[in-house]
mmCIF file of all heavy atoms in Angstrom:
data_model
loop_
_atom_site.group_PDB
_atom_site.id
_atom_site.type_symbol
_atom_site.label_atom_id
_atom_site.label_comp_id
_atom_site.label_asym_id
_atom_site.label_seq_id
_atom_site.Cartn_x
_atom_site.Cartn_y
_atom_site.Cartn_z
ATOM 1 N N LYS A 1 66.414 -46.587 -14.212
ATOM 2 C CA LYS A 1 65.369 -47.366 -13.579
ATOM 3 C C LYS A 1 64.003 -46.842 -13.987
ATOM 4 O O LYS A 1 63.892 -45.790 -14.620
ATOM 5 C CB LYS A 1 65.514 -47.340 -12.057
ATOM 6 C CG LYS A 1 65.280 -45.976 -11.428
ATOM 7 C CD LYS A 1 65.354 -46.039 -9.912
ATOM 8 C CE LYS A 1 65.034 -44.707 -9.273
ATOM 9 N NZ LYS A 1 65.099 -44.786 -7.795
ATOM 10 N N TYR A 2 62.971 -47.556 -13.617
ATOM 11 C CA TYR A 2 61.598 -47.149 -13.879
ATOM 12 C C TYR A 2 61.327 -45.792 -13.242
ATOM 13 O O TYR A 2 61.533 -45.602 -12.049
ATOM 14 C CB TYR A 2 60.652 -48.205 -13.329
ATOM 15 C CG TYR A 2 59.201 -48.018 -13.684
ATOM 16 C CD1 TYR A 2 58.764 -48.134 -14.997
ATOM 17 C CD2 TYR A 2 58.259 -47.760 -12.697
ATOM 18 C CE1 TYR A 2 57.433 -47.976 -15.326
ATOM 19 C CE2 TYR A 2 56.924 -47.608 -13.012
ATOM 20 C CZ TYR A 2 56.512 -47.715 -14.325
ATOM 21 O OH TYR A 2 55.183 -47.566 -14.642
ATOM 22 N N TYR A 3 60.864 -44.819 -14.043
ATOM 23 C CA TYR A 3 60.673 -43.459 -13.533
ATOM 24 C C TYR A 3 59.297 -42.907 -13.896
ATOM 25 O O TYR A 3 59.122 -41.696 -14.050
ATOM 26 C CB TYR A 3 61.778 -42.542 -14.052
ATOM 27 C CG TYR A 3 61.723 -42.245 -15.528
ATOM 28 C CD1 TYR A 3 61.346 -40.978 -15.971
ATOM 29 C CD2 TYR A 3 62.046 -43.206 -16.473
ATOM 30 C CE1 TYR A 3 61.292 -40.692 -17.326
ATOM 31 C CE2 TYR A 3 61.994 -42.932 -17.827
ATOM 32 C CZ TYR A 3 61.615 -41.669 -18.245
ATOM 33 O OH TYR A 3 61.566 -41.380 -19.585
ATOM 34 N N GLU A 4 58.308 -43.754 -13.995
ATOM 35 C CA GLU A 4 56.958 -43.351 -14.395
ATOM 36 C C GLU A 4 56.399 -42.228 -13.530
ATOM 37 O O GLU A 4 55.657 -41.376 -14.022
ATOM 38 C CB GLU A 4 56.016 -44.558 -14.348
ATOM 39 C CG GLU A 4 54.593 -44.246 -14.780
ATOM 40 C CD GLU A 4 53.691 -45.457 -14.745
ATOM 41 O OE1 GLU A 4 54.112 -46.513 -14.231
ATOM 42 O OE2 GLU A 4 52.544 -45.368 -15.242
ATOM 43 N N GLU A 5 56.746 -42.190 -12.253
ATOM 44 C CA GLU A 5 56.183 -41.215 -11.329
ATOM 45 C C GLU A 5 57.047 -39.973 -11.152
ATOM 46 O O GLU A 5 56.794 -39.171 -10.267
ATOM 47 C CB GLU A 5 55.922 -41.876 -9.975
ATOM 48 C CG GLU A 5 54.910 -43.006 -10.046
ATOM 49 C CD GLU A 5 54.628 -43.637 -8.701
ATOM 50 O OE1 GLU A 5 55.265 -43.256 -7.707
ATOM 51 O OE2 GLU A 5 53.756 -44.520 -8.635
ATOM 52 N N TYR A 6 58.065 -39.782 -11.998
ATOM 53 C CA TYR A 6 58.947 -38.620 -11.927
ATOM 54 C C TYR A 6 58.461 -37.487 -12.816
ATOM 55 O O TYR A 6 57.905 -37.706 -13.892
ATOM 56 C CB TYR A 6 60.355 -38.999 -12.375
ATOM 57 C CG TYR A 6 61.202 -39.697 -11.340
ATOM 58 C CD1 TYR A 6 60.818 -40.901 -10.777
ATOM 59 C CD2 TYR A 6 62.417 -39.142 -10.949
ATOM 60 C CE1 TYR A 6 61.609 -41.539 -9.840
ATOM 61 C CE2 TYR A 6 63.214 -39.783 -10.016
ATOM 62 C CZ TYR A 6 62.804 -40.982 -9.465
ATOM 63 O OH TYR A 6 63.604 -41.618 -8.549
ATOM 64 N N CYS A 7 58.687 -36.262 -12.355
ATOM 65 C CA CYS A 7 58.677 -35.114 -13.246
ATOM 66 C C CYS A 7 59.983 -35.127 -14.038
ATOM 67 O O CYS A 7 61.054 -35.331 -13.463
ATOM 68 C CB CYS A 7 58.569 -33.818 -12.440
ATOM 69 S SG CYS A 7 58.988 -32.317 -13.341
ATOM 70 N N MET A 8 59.895 -34.914 -15.344
ATOM 71 C CA MET A 8 61.068 -34.915 -16.199
ATOM 72 C C MET A 8 61.162 -33.594 -16.961
ATOM 73 O O MET A 8 60.138 -32.997 -17.306
ATOM 74 C CB MET A 8 61.016 -36.061 -17.207
ATOM 75 C CG MET A 8 60.916 -37.447 -16.577
ATOM 76 S SD MET A 8 62.417 -37.914 -15.679
ATOM 77 C CE MET A 8 63.598 -38.008 -17.029
ATOM 78 N N GLY A 9 62.383 -33.152 -17.224
ATOM 79 C CA GLY A 9 62.561 -31.889 -17.913
ATOM 80 C C GLY A 9 63.750 -31.879 -18.853
ATOM 81 O O GLY A 9 64.676 -32.682 -18.724
ATOM 82 N N TRP A 10 63.711 -30.956 -19.815
ATOM 83 C CA TRP A 10 64.814 -30.703 -20.739
ATOM 84 C C TRP A 10 65.322 -29.276 -20.536
ATOM 85 O O TRP A 10 64.525 -28.340 -20.383
ATOM 86 C CB TRP A 10 64.382 -30.866 -22.195
ATOM 87 C CG TRP A 10 64.221 -32.272 -22.643
ATOM 88 C CD1 TRP A 10 63.066 -32.972 -22.778
ATOM 89 C CD2 TRP A 10 65.273 -33.163 -23.037
ATOM 90 N NE1 TRP A 10 63.317 -34.236 -23.228
ATOM 91 C CE2 TRP A 10 64.655 -34.389 -23.393
ATOM 92 C CE3 TRP A 10 66.662 -33.047 -23.121
ATOM 93 C CZ2 TRP A 10 65.399 -35.486 -23.834
ATOM 94 C CZ3 TRP A 10 67.399 -34.142 -23.546
ATOM 95 C CH2 TRP A 10 66.773 -35.336 -23.898
ATOM 96 N N PHE A 11 66.643 -29.130 -20.543
ATOM 97 C CA PHE A 11 67.302 -27.837 -20.431
ATOM 98 C C PHE A 11 68.351 -27.711 -21.527
ATOM 99 O O PHE A 11 68.758 -28.692 -22.131
ATOM 100 C CB PHE A 11 67.986 -27.686 -19.070
ATOM 101 C CG PHE A 11 67.038 -27.508 -17.922
ATOM 102 C CD1 PHE A 11 66.373 -28.594 -17.385
ATOM 103 C CD2 PHE A 11 66.813 -26.257 -17.378
ATOM 104 C CE1 PHE A 11 65.497 -28.446 -16.324
ATOM 105 C CE2 PHE A 11 65.942 -26.090 -16.311
ATOM 106 C CZ PHE A 11 65.286 -27.191 -15.792
ATOM 107 N N ARG A 12 68.814 -26.485 -21.742
ATOM 108 C CA ARG A 12 69.934 -26.270 -22.649
ATOM 109 C C ARG A 12 70.797 -25.136 -22.125
ATOM 110 O O ARG A 12 70.331 -24.251 -21.413
ATOM 111 C CB ARG A 12 69.469 -25.990 -24.074
ATOM 112 C CG ARG A 12 68.656 -24.719 -24.251
ATOM 113 C CD ARG A 12 68.126 -24.665 -25.673
ATOM 114 N NE ARG A 12 67.385 -23.445 -25.945
ATOM 115 C CZ ARG A 12 66.747 -23.204 -27.084
ATOM 116 N NH1 ARG A 12 66.765 -24.107 -28.066
ATOM 117 N NH2 ARG A 12 66.095 -22.057 -27.250
ATOM 118 N N GLN A 13 72.082 -25.169 -22.511
ATOM 119 C CA GLN A 13 73.026 -24.175 -22.029
ATOM 120 C C GLN A 13 74.115 -23.939 -23.068
ATOM 121 O O GLN A 13 74.647 -24.881 -23.651
ATOM 122 C CB GLN A 13 73.656 -24.624 -20.714
ATOM 123 C CG GLN A 13 74.508 -23.565 -20.035
ATOM 124 C CD GLN A 13 74.869 -23.947 -18.614
ATOM 125 O OE1 GLN A 13 74.881 -25.124 -18.255
ATOM 126 N NE2 GLN A 13 75.145 -22.953 -17.790
ATOM 127 N N THR A 14 74.453 -22.658 -23.286
ATOM 128 C CA THR A 14 75.548 -22.264 -24.164
ATOM 129 C C THR A 14 76.622 -21.587 -23.328
ATOM 130 O O THR A 14 76.345 -21.101 -22.224
ATOM 131 C CB THR A 14 75.061 -21.314 -25.263
ATOM 132 O OG1 THR A 14 74.438 -20.164 -24.666
ATOM 133 C CG2 THR A 14 74.045 -22.005 -26.169
ATOM 134 N N PRO A 15 77.871 -21.529 -23.828
ATOM 135 C CA PRO A 15 78.948 -20.899 -23.054
ATOM 136 C C PRO A 15 78.614 -19.469 -22.661
ATOM 137 O O PRO A 15 78.170 -18.668 -23.485
ATOM 138 C CB PRO A 15 80.139 -20.945 -24.015
ATOM 139 C CG PRO A 15 79.862 -22.122 -24.887
ATOM 140 C CD PRO A 15 78.372 -22.119 -25.083
ATOM 141 N N GLY A 16 78.815 -19.154 -21.389
ATOM 142 C CA GLY A 16 78.556 -17.822 -20.888
ATOM 143 C C GLY A 16 77.111 -17.515 -20.579
ATOM 144 O O GLY A 16 76.800 -16.403 -20.148
ATOM 145 N N LYS A 17 76.221 -18.480 -20.789
ATOM 146 C CA LYS A 17 74.801 -18.267 -20.543
ATOM 147 C C LYS A 17 74.306 -19.169 -19.409
ATOM 148 O O LYS A 17 74.876 -20.222 -19.138
ATOM 149 C CB LYS A 17 73.987 -18.552 -21.807
ATOM 150 C CG LYS A 17 74.362 -17.711 -23.013
ATOM 151 C CD LYS A 17 73.976 -16.259 -22.806
ATOM 152 C CE LYS A 17 74.300 -15.433 -24.047
ATOM 153 N NZ LYS A 17 73.453 -15.829 -25.204
ATOM 154 N N LYS A 18 73.223 -18.737 -18.775
ATOM 155 C CA LYS A 18 72.595 -19.549 -17.741
ATOM 156 C C LYS A 18 71.856 -20.719 -18.373
ATOM 157 O O LYS A 18 71.436 -20.654 -19.523
ATOM 158 C CB LYS A 18 71.628 -18.702 -16.915
ATOM 159 C CG LYS A 18 72.282 -17.627 -16.073
ATOM 160 C CD LYS A 18 71.242 -16.874 -15.264
ATOM 161 C CE LYS A 18 71.888 -15.834 -14.378
ATOM 162 N NZ LYS A 18 70.879 -15.076 -13.586
ATOM 163 N N ARG A 19 71.700 -21.768 -17.597
ATOM 164 C CA ARG A 19 70.956 -22.915 -18.065
ATOM 165 C C ARG A 19 69.491 -22.530 -18.263
ATOM 166 O O ARG A 19 68.857 -21.962 -17.365
ATOM 167 C CB ARG A 19 71.083 -24.071 -17.074
ATOM 168 C CG ARG A 19 70.502 -25.377 -17.574
ATOM 169 C CD ARG A 19 71.020 -26.556 -16.749
ATOM 170 N NE ARG A 19 72.459 -26.727 -16.904
ATOM 171 C CZ ARG A 19 73.140 -27.771 -16.447
ATOM 172 N NH1 ARG A 19 72.516 -28.739 -15.802
ATOM 173 N NH2 ARG A 19 74.443 -27.828 -16.626
ATOM 174 N N GLU A 20 68.950 -22.849 -19.434
ATOM 175 C CA GLU A 20 67.610 -22.437 -19.826
ATOM 176 C C GLU A 20 66.674 -23.631 -19.847
ATOM 177 O O GLU A 20 66.969 -24.649 -20.486
ATOM 178 C CB GLU A 20 67.647 -21.786 -21.212
ATOM 179 C CG GLU A 20 66.277 -21.450 -21.786
ATOM 180 C CD GLU A 20 66.320 -21.079 -23.254
ATOM 181 O OE1 GLU A 20 67.335 -21.371 -23.914
ATOM 182 O OE2 GLU A 20 65.339 -20.487 -23.746
ATOM 183 N N ALA A 21 65.542 -23.508 -19.175
ATOM 184 C CA ALA A 21 64.522 -24.549 -19.239
ATOM 185 C C ALA A 21 63.887 -24.559 -20.619
ATOM 186 O O ALA A 21 63.532 -23.509 -21.156
ATOM 187 C CB ALA A 21 63.462 -24.318 -18.170
ATOM 188 N N VAL A 22 63.739 -25.737 -21.206
ATOM 189 C CA VAL A 22 63.149 -25.910 -22.527
ATOM 190 C C VAL A 22 61.738 -26.457 -22.434
ATOM 191 O O VAL A 22 60.816 -25.940 -23.068
ATOM 192 C CB VAL A 22 64.022 -26.830 -23.401
ATOM 193 C CG1 VAL A 22 63.343 -27.091 -24.750
ATOM 194 C CG2 VAL A 22 65.400 -26.232 -23.596
ATOM 195 N N ALA A 23 61.559 -27.515 -21.652
ATOM 196 C CA ALA A 23 60.258 -28.162 -21.552
ATOM 197 C C ALA A 23 60.219 -29.063 -20.331
ATOM 198 O O ALA A 23 61.256 -29.443 -19.785
ATOM 199 C CB ALA A 23 59.961 -28.986 -22.807
ATOM 200 N N SER A 24 59.011 -29.419 -19.905
ATOM 201 C CA SER A 24 58.826 -30.372 -18.825
ATOM 202 C C SER A 24 57.642 -31.269 -19.130
ATOM 203 O O SER A 24 56.755 -30.911 -19.910
ATOM 204 C CB SER A 24 58.625 -29.667 -17.479
ATOM 205 O OG SER A 24 57.390 -28.975 -17.450
ATOM 206 N N ILE A 25 57.636 -32.443 -18.508
ATOM 207 C CA ILE A 25 56.513 -33.368 -18.619
ATOM 208 C C ILE A 25 56.362 -34.063 -17.276
ATOM 209 O O ILE A 25 57.319 -34.633 -16.755
ATOM 210 C CB ILE A 25 56.711 -34.365 -19.784
ATOM 211 C CG1 ILE A 25 55.514 -35.310 -19.894
ATOM 212 C CG2 ILE A 25 58.021 -35.133 -19.650
ATOM 213 C CD1 ILE A 25 55.496 -36.094 -21.207
ATOM 214 N N ASP A 26 55.157 -33.992 -16.694
ATOM 215 C CA ASP A 26 54.967 -34.567 -15.379
ATOM 216 C C ASP A 26 54.568 -36.033 -15.464
ATOM 217 O O ASP A 26 54.495 -36.617 -16.547
ATOM 218 C CB ASP A 26 53.974 -33.735 -14.551
ATOM 219 C CG ASP A 26 52.542 -33.783 -15.076
ATOM 220 O OD1 ASP A 26 52.219 -34.651 -15.917
ATOM 221 O OD2 ASP A 26 51.731 -32.943 -14.628
ATOM 222 N N SER A 27 54.298 -36.623 -14.305
ATOM 223 C CA SER A 27 54.005 -38.051 -14.255
ATOM 224 C C SER A 27 52.688 -38.418 -14.927
ATOM 225 O O SER A 27 52.470 -39.592 -15.241
ATOM 226 C CB SER A 27 53.996 -38.535 -12.802
ATOM 227 O OG SER A 27 53.016 -37.849 -12.045
ATOM 228 N N ASP A 28 51.819 -37.426 -15.148
ATOM 229 C CA ASP A 28 50.555 -37.651 -15.845
ATOM 230 C C ASP A 28 50.644 -37.351 -17.338
ATOM 231 O O ASP A 28 49.654 -37.493 -18.056
ATOM 232 C CB ASP A 28 49.447 -36.803 -15.230
ATOM 233 C CG ASP A 28 49.113 -37.216 -13.819
ATOM 234 O OD1 ASP A 28 49.105 -38.434 -13.540
ATOM 235 O OD2 ASP A 28 48.862 -36.327 -12.983
ATOM 236 N N GLY A 29 51.814 -36.904 -17.804
ATOM 237 C CA GLY A 29 51.995 -36.598 -19.208
ATOM 238 C C GLY A 29 51.696 -35.165 -19.594
ATOM 239 O O GLY A 29 51.719 -34.833 -20.785
ATOM 240 N N ASN A 30 51.420 -34.292 -18.626
ATOM 241 C CA ASN A 30 51.193 -32.882 -18.913
ATOM 242 C C ASN A 30 52.503 -32.204 -19.279
ATOM 243 O O ASN A 30 53.520 -32.412 -18.618
ATOM 244 C CB ASN A 30 50.574 -32.183 -17.702
ATOM 245 C CG ASN A 30 49.250 -32.795 -17.305
ATOM 246 O OD1 ASN A 30 48.335 -32.887 -18.111
ATOM 247 N ND2 ASN A 30 49.144 -33.216 -16.046
ATOM 248 N N THR A 31 52.478 -31.373 -20.322
ATOM 249 C CA THR A 31 53.693 -30.744 -20.830
ATOM 250 C C THR A 31 53.640 -29.230 -20.718
ATOM 251 O O THR A 31 52.571 -28.620 -20.782
ATOM 252 C CB THR A 31 53.939 -31.120 -22.294
ATOM 253 O OG1 THR A 31 52.814 -30.710 -23.087
ATOM 254 C CG2 THR A 31 54.120 -32.623 -22.438
ATOM 255 N N ILE A 32 54.818 -28.625 -20.551
ATOM 256 C CA ILE A 32 54.986 -27.178 -20.520
ATOM 257 C C ILE A 32 56.212 -26.847 -21.361
ATOM 258 O O ILE A 32 57.233 -27.526 -21.275
ATOM 259 C CB ILE A 32 55.176 -26.646 -19.089
ATOM 260 C CG1 ILE A 32 54.053 -27.130 -18.165
ATOM 261 C CG2 ILE A 32 55.230 -25.121 -19.094
ATOM 262 C CD1 ILE A 32 54.302 -26.799 -16.700
ATOM 263 N N TYR A 33 56.121 -25.774 -22.172
ATOM 264 C CA TYR A 33 57.208 -25.382 -23.057
ATOM 265 C C TYR A 33 57.637 -23.949 -22.807
ATOM 266 O O TYR A 33 56.818 -23.086 -22.488
ATOM 267 C CB TYR A 33 56.796 -25.535 -24.521
ATOM 268 C CG TYR A 33 56.466 -26.951 -24.895
ATOM 269 C CD1 TYR A 33 55.155 -27.407 -24.893
ATOM 270 C CD2 TYR A 33 57.477 -27.847 -25.243
ATOM 271 C CE1 TYR A 33 54.850 -28.714 -25.223
ATOM 272 C CE2 TYR A 33 57.184 -29.153 -25.576
ATOM 273 C CZ TYR A 33 55.872 -29.583 -25.567
ATOM 274 O OH TYR A 33 55.584 -30.884 -25.899
ATOM 275 N N ALA A 34 58.929 -23.705 -22.972
ATOM 276 C CA ALA A 34 59.445 -22.351 -22.891
ATOM 277 C C ALA A 34 59.036 -21.571 -24.138
ATOM 278 O O ALA A 34 58.869 -22.155 -25.217
ATOM 279 C CB ALA A 34 60.968 -22.371 -22.769
ATOM 280 N N PRO A 35 58.878 -20.233 -24.018
ATOM 281 C CA PRO A 35 58.518 -19.434 -25.197
ATOM 282 C C PRO A 35 59.468 -19.599 -26.370
ATOM 283 O O PRO A 35 59.038 -19.519 -27.528
ATOM 284 C CB PRO A 35 58.543 -17.999 -24.655
ATOM 285 C CG PRO A 35 58.252 -18.140 -23.203
ATOM 286 C CD PRO A 35 58.929 -19.421 -22.797
ATOM 287 N N SER A 36 60.744 -19.846 -26.106
ATOM 288 C CA SER A 36 61.733 -19.946 -27.167
ATOM 289 C C SER A 36 61.525 -21.148 -28.078
ATOM 290 O O SER A 36 62.019 -21.159 -29.210
ATOM 291 C CB SER A 36 63.140 -19.995 -26.568
ATOM 292 O OG SER A 36 63.276 -21.092 -25.685
ATOM 293 N N VAL A 37 60.811 -22.176 -27.612
ATOM 294 C CA VAL A 37 60.600 -23.376 -28.412
ATOM 295 C C VAL A 37 59.138 -23.713 -28.614
ATOM 296 O O VAL A 37 58.824 -24.665 -29.338
ATOM 297 C CB VAL A 37 61.314 -24.602 -27.799
ATOM 298 C CG1 VAL A 37 62.805 -24.354 -27.682
ATOM 299 C CG2 VAL A 37 60.706 -24.956 -26.446
ATOM 300 N N LYS A 38 58.240 -22.956 -28.006
ATOM 301 C CA LYS A 38 56.813 -23.255 -28.117
ATOM 302 C C LYS A 38 56.380 -23.247 -29.574
ATOM 303 O O LYS A 38 56.690 -22.331 -30.324
ATOM 304 C CB LYS A 38 56.006 -22.243 -27.309
ATOM 305 C CG LYS A 38 54.543 -22.619 -27.110
ATOM 306 C CD LYS A 38 53.864 -21.681 -26.116
ATOM 307 C CE LYS A 38 54.484 -21.778 -24.739
ATOM 308 N NZ LYS A 38 53.783 -20.903 -23.746
ATOM 309 N N GLY A 39 55.670 -24.299 -29.963
ATOM 310 C CA GLY A 39 55.241 -24.453 -31.339
ATOM 311 C C GLY A 39 56.216 -25.232 -32.192
ATOM 312 O O GLY A 39 55.871 -25.649 -33.304
ATOM 313 N N ARG A 40 57.448 -25.437 -31.715
ATOM 314 C CA ARG A 40 58.464 -26.163 -32.457
ATOM 315 C C ARG A 40 58.911 -27.433 -31.742
ATOM 316 O O ARG A 40 59.581 -28.267 -32.348
ATOM 317 C CB ARG A 40 59.693 -25.293 -32.697
ATOM 318 C CG ARG A 40 59.414 -24.014 -33.474
ATOM 319 C CD ARG A 40 60.716 -23.299 -33.832
ATOM 320 N NE ARG A 40 61.452 -22.871 -32.649
ATOM 321 C CZ ARG A 40 62.695 -23.239 -32.365
ATOM 322 N NH1 ARG A 40 63.349 -24.054 -33.182
ATOM 323 N NH2 ARG A 40 63.294 -22.790 -31.273
ATOM 324 N N ALA A 41 58.575 -27.572 -30.464
ATOM 325 C CA ALA A 41 59.077 -28.671 -29.642
ATOM 326 C C ALA A 41 57.954 -29.579 -29.174
ATOM 327 O O ALA A 41 56.818 -29.146 -28.959
ATOM 328 C CB ALA A 41 59.832 -28.128 -28.440
ATOM 329 N N THR A 42 58.291 -30.851 -29.017
ATOM 330 C CA THR A 42 57.383 -31.834 -28.448
ATOM 331 C C THR A 42 58.163 -32.712 -27.479
ATOM 332 O O THR A 42 59.146 -33.339 -27.873
ATOM 333 C CB THR A 42 56.732 -32.720 -29.517
ATOM 334 O OG1 THR A 42 56.010 -31.908 -30.452
ATOM 335 C CG2 THR A 42 55.765 -33.708 -28.865
ATOM 336 N N VAL A 43 57.747 -32.731 -26.226
ATOM 337 C CA VAL A 43 58.359 -33.605 -25.238
ATOM 338 C C VAL A 43 57.396 -34.750 -24.951
ATOM 339 O O VAL A 43 56.184 -34.538 -24.845
ATOM 340 C CB VAL A 43 58.731 -32.832 -23.953
ATOM 341 C CG1 VAL A 43 57.504 -32.240 -23.280
ATOM 342 C CG2 VAL A 43 59.500 -33.732 -22.991
ATOM 343 N N SER A 44 57.919 -35.950 -24.870
ATOM 344 C CA SER A 44 57.096 -37.126 -24.615
ATOM 345 C C SER A 44 57.884 -38.115 -23.768
ATOM 346 O O SER A 44 59.100 -37.973 -23.589
ATOM 347 C CB SER A 44 56.654 -37.776 -25.929
ATOM 348 O OG SER A 44 57.765 -38.186 -26.702
#
């Protein structure tokens, strides 16, 4: 459904590891990146 006003995020997980936050984008389009992907990732 329409989710314009939602905060959205990306995560990743490997076997035996905790779920890791990758990036987020809020309802205004502001983005935050984890150090592991900063400079290599773009969330939109």
Side-chain angles (χ1 to χ4, degrees):
K1 67 176 184 180
Y2 188 66
Y3 69 108
E4 181 179 9
E5 298 181 356
Y6 280 60
C7 164
M8 302 292 295
W10 284 101
F11 288 79
R12 63 187 183 185
Q13 188 168 24
T14 57
K17 301 291 183 67
K18 293 182 178 179
R19 188 163 295 189
E20 174 192 16
V22 176
S24 68
I25 181 167
D26 68 14
S27 60
D28 294 321
N30 300 304
T31 59
I32 307 172
Y33 298 96
S36 58
V37 301
K38 192 171 297 182
R40 301 188 297 122
T42 302
V43 62
S44 60

